[in-house]
Amino acid sequence: MTKPKITLETAAKLDQKDVLHNFKKEFYTDDNRFYMDGNSLGLLSKRAEQSLLSSLEDWKTHAIGGWTDGKEPWFYMSEKFGAKTAPLLGAKPEEVISTGSITSNLHQLLSTFYRPEGQRTKILADELNFPSDIYALKSQLELHGMDPDEHLIQVKSDNGATLSEEDIIKEMRSDIALLLLPSVLYRSGQLLDIEKITKAAHEQGIMVGFDLAHSIGALPHNLDDWGVDFAVWCTYKYLNSGPGGVGGLYVNEKHLGSKPGLAGWFSSKKDKQFDMAHDLNHAETAGAYQMGTPHILSSAPLLGSLDLFQEADIKNVRCKSLQMTRLMLDLVYQELDGLGFQIITPLEDERRGGHISLVHSEAASICKALKKENVVPDFRAPDVIRLAPVALYTTYKEVYEVMMILKEIMVNETYKKYKNERDIIA
Ligand SMILES: *Cc1c(COP(=O)(O)O)cnc(C)c1O
């Protein structure tokens, strides 16, 4: 049976049925631009702008009093935003805190939970993770006096794009202390089976951490049910908190109360912090893993953004996201056949995050040609084009049009005008 041909009409019909169509006008979008890069930096919403302006207003009118008396008191902001993020994670409010960045939070949680002992000294990761995560793992090993060449085990990929859960599980030996993996691989968009991996690791006595950079705000999580020990994420990608927006971390309640590996005065119990004692009385919540003064102005936009997620419901976001990436994939087969593209994103819904990735030998040139046509893709050297149709602000029609522009660039060979090299930021 052949599938019916996908047309602009097909996409328009999907838009008519879209339960999230009202959310687009909550964002600053540009009718002349096709934004497919929300997995690197999400767009600004009017709510996020409002919550940032509100914090500025608190500063303007309350000065130091803004810590406790403003509209959104800064002293409690990280805890409050953590609690508001918890439903996106399947977590309890006290297990989540808004703080730091992925990399600094990883350092904090590795300093707290990586406890090499006896023969159990190694860290298990993969060879496809984002470099910053690997740098953090290596420097943590070195801080413990260990040689990363020997103590960091990176699971290999068969095809350079995806990982096999079975291969990961095979590496879970008795000398592994801790496992760190991405939920969704940043390059291929593969979604790992977090529950299965966590269960297998726990059977071997291994502590499990996940980096949710490419899944938070794109799909629901059940961290508590899955038993994940800790997690980190950023909010400037699918959570649309703005450039350098505050990150977050999760610590499973069974570990709450653990002494923070990297302590600071914001690790304190809130009612003890201003005792100014030299013996830290650390919080019994995920708040204990904060260090210094929160970056209020890089945190404030998150409030408005989280309100949108609360209204939209992450299940609806996931449902639309999958339908949009499915449409993209179908259009690759229908329109881009024979043009040199290879899909490296898993085709099964349950193995796919929020973006799709196409490999092409001329990927850098193609991305430049797309930008010239007002399509914003994202390029990952040496040959990957990532396209993220974000559920809250992208229409099915836009997905259709982007794929037709891509086809035109290929058929007319306009990409050949551009050098096949990456720019400084790609
Ligand atoms: C985006 C991303 C990062 C970035 O880390 P920051 O500390 O927020 O700069 C790290 N890891 C992964 C997997 C990412 O996707």
Side-chain angles (χ1 to χ4, degrees):
M1 207 178 78
T2 53
K3 282 191 179 176
K5 188 171 157 66
I6 301 161
T7 62
L8 189 60
E9 276 302 292
T10 320
K13 279 195 187 130
L14 288 168
D15 281 324
Q16 277 164 17
K17 285 190 285 188
D18 175 13
V19 297
L20 297 177
H21 74 275
N22 274 329
F23 285 88
K24 189 181 179 74
K25 61 177 188 292
E26 296 275 355
F27 287 84
Y28 287 100
T29 55
D30 177 344
D31 289 343
N32 298 312
R33 183 185 65 197
F34 298 94
Y35 195 71
M36 295 289 137
D37 206 4
N39 58 335
S40 279
L41 180 69
L43 294 181
L44 173 63
S45 65
K46 293 167 191 172
R47 306 275 189 106
E49 177 182 49
Q50 220 36 61
S51 53
L52 172 59
L53 291 176
S54 169
S55 259
L56 277 174
E57 192 62 34
D58 283 343
W59 180 20
K60 199 189 286 178
T61 51
H62 298 280
I64 186 82
W67 285 100
T68 47
D69 302 334
K71 189 160 172 246
E72 196 58 66
W74 305 323
F75 191 58
Y76 302 102
M77 206 179 218
S78 309
E79 285 76 11
K80 176 171 173 179
F81 292 9
K84 264 184 109 78
T85 310
L88 299 177
L89 299 162
K92 298 182 183 72
E94 65 274 18
E95 293 172 314
V96 186
I97 191 82
S98 237
T99 189
S101 66
I102 290 185
T103 315
S104 68
N105 290 338
L106 258 182
H107 275 294
Q108 168 67 291
L109 297 181
L110 290 166
S111 299
T112 306
F113 295 117
Y114 170 53
R115 293 269 169 259
E117 255 178 35
Q119 296 300 306
R120 205 183 271 282
T121 55
K122 294 181 181 172
I123 295 180
L124 181 59
D126 68 282
E127 67 165 357
L128 300 177
N129 204 344
F130 195 87
S132 204
D133 300 49
I134 300 299
Y135 301 159
L137 291 175
K138 288 186 178 176
S139 58
Q140 285 286 328
L141 284 167
E142 284 166 353
L143 283 169
H144 283 273
M146 283 187 269
D147 178 3
D149 286 345
E150 190 190 332
H151 292 271
L152 178 63
I153 310 294
Q154 292 183 265
V155 178
K156 297 250 176 309
S157 160
D158 284 345
N159 54 10
T162 55
L163 297 169
S164 135
E165 279 89 357
E166 294 313 322
D167 288 349
I168 296 169
I169 292 169
K170 265 191 231 141
E171 297 289 343
M172 295 176 179
R173 299 181 222 280
S174 58
D175 55 355
I176 307 284
L178 183 142
L179 165 69
L180 178 79
L181 291 169
S183 49
V184 170
L185 275 62
Y186 79 100
R187 205 182 277 268
S188 67
Q190 177 190 8
L191 168 62
L192 290 172
D193 187 336
I194 299 175
E195 185 173 22
K196 179 176 175 175
I197 291 169
T198 304
K199 205 161 161 253
H202 284 169
E203 279 167 12
Q204 300 302 321
I206 298 168
M207 176 78 110
V208 179
F210 272 92
D211 180 338
L212 311 179
H214 283 275
S215 61
I216 193 159
L219 50 100
H221 303 75
N222 291 307
L223 297 185
D224 280 349
D225 288 350
W226 298 335
V228 170
D229 294 290
F230 67 86
V232 295
W233 56 89
C234 55
T235 63
Y236 47 78
K237 292 171 179 163
Y238 290 101
L239 286 183
N240 315 312
S241 77
V246 67
L249 62 83
Y250 159 91
V251 173
N252 192 293
E253 66 179 343
K254 68 182 175 219
H255 302 301
L256 292 179
S258 304
K259 186 177 165 189
L262 303 174
W265 73 318
F266 269 80
S267 314
S268 300
K269 287 200 172 93
K270 300 217 80 76
D271 58 336
K272 302 284 185 227
Q273 183 170 343
F274 278 83
D275 289 353
M276 303 309 238
H278 279 191
D279 285 322
L280 169 66
N281 191 344
H282 67 78
E284 300 288 318
T285 64
Y289 310 102
Q290 301 174 87
M291 289 182 271
T293 306
H295 303 168
I296 298 302
L297 299 182
S298 324
S299 304
L302 184 59
L303 179 64
S305 188
L306 288 173
D307 282 341
L308 287 176
F309 277 88
Q310 208 169 345
E311 287 165 32
D313 193 327
I314 190 68
K315 288 196 211 75
N316 291 329
V317 169
R318 174 61 167 164
C319 185
K320 179 174 174 191
S321 161
L322 280 174
Q323 240 184 321
M324 284 198 298
T325 47
R326 164 61 50 208
L327 178 65
M328 252 184 188
L329 292 166
D330 287 345
L331 284 165
V332 172
Y333 287 112
Q334 182 181 297
E335 303 291 337
L336 302 180
D337 198 33
L339 293 169
F341 289 100
Q342 183 206 342
I343 298 167
I344 58 168
T345 310
L347 303 179
E348 308 92 313
D349 283 1
E350 67 282 3
R351 296 183 65 223
R352 196 162 82 244
H355 70 267
I356 72 154
S357 300
L358 303 174
V359 162
H360 195 287
S361 56
E362 304 295 318
S365 312
I366 296 168
C367 283
K368 288 175 196 170
L370 282 170
K371 282 184 187 164
K372 191 83 186 144
E373 299 299 324
N374 298 318
V375 176
V376 185
D378 146 315
F379 170 70
R380 284 292 171 262
D383 56 8
V384 178
I385 303 167
R386 299 191 305 183
L387 297 167
V390 171
L392 289 183
Y393 52 74
T394 310
T395 63
Y396 292 93
K397 252 166 110 172
E398 286 167 338
V399 169
Y400 182 85
E401 284 171 287
V402 163
M403 299 314 276
M404 295 320 258
I405 292 169
L406 180 54
K407 180 184 181 181
E408 217 171 271
I409 284 167
M410 300 312 296
V411 171
N412 299 334
E413 300 191 341
T414 45
Y415 67 90
K416 290 193 171 167
K417 283 195 291 204
Y418 305 93
K419 272 203 179 143
N420 194 32
E421 288 169 359
R422 76 166 166 83
D423 295 327
I424 185 83
I425 290 185

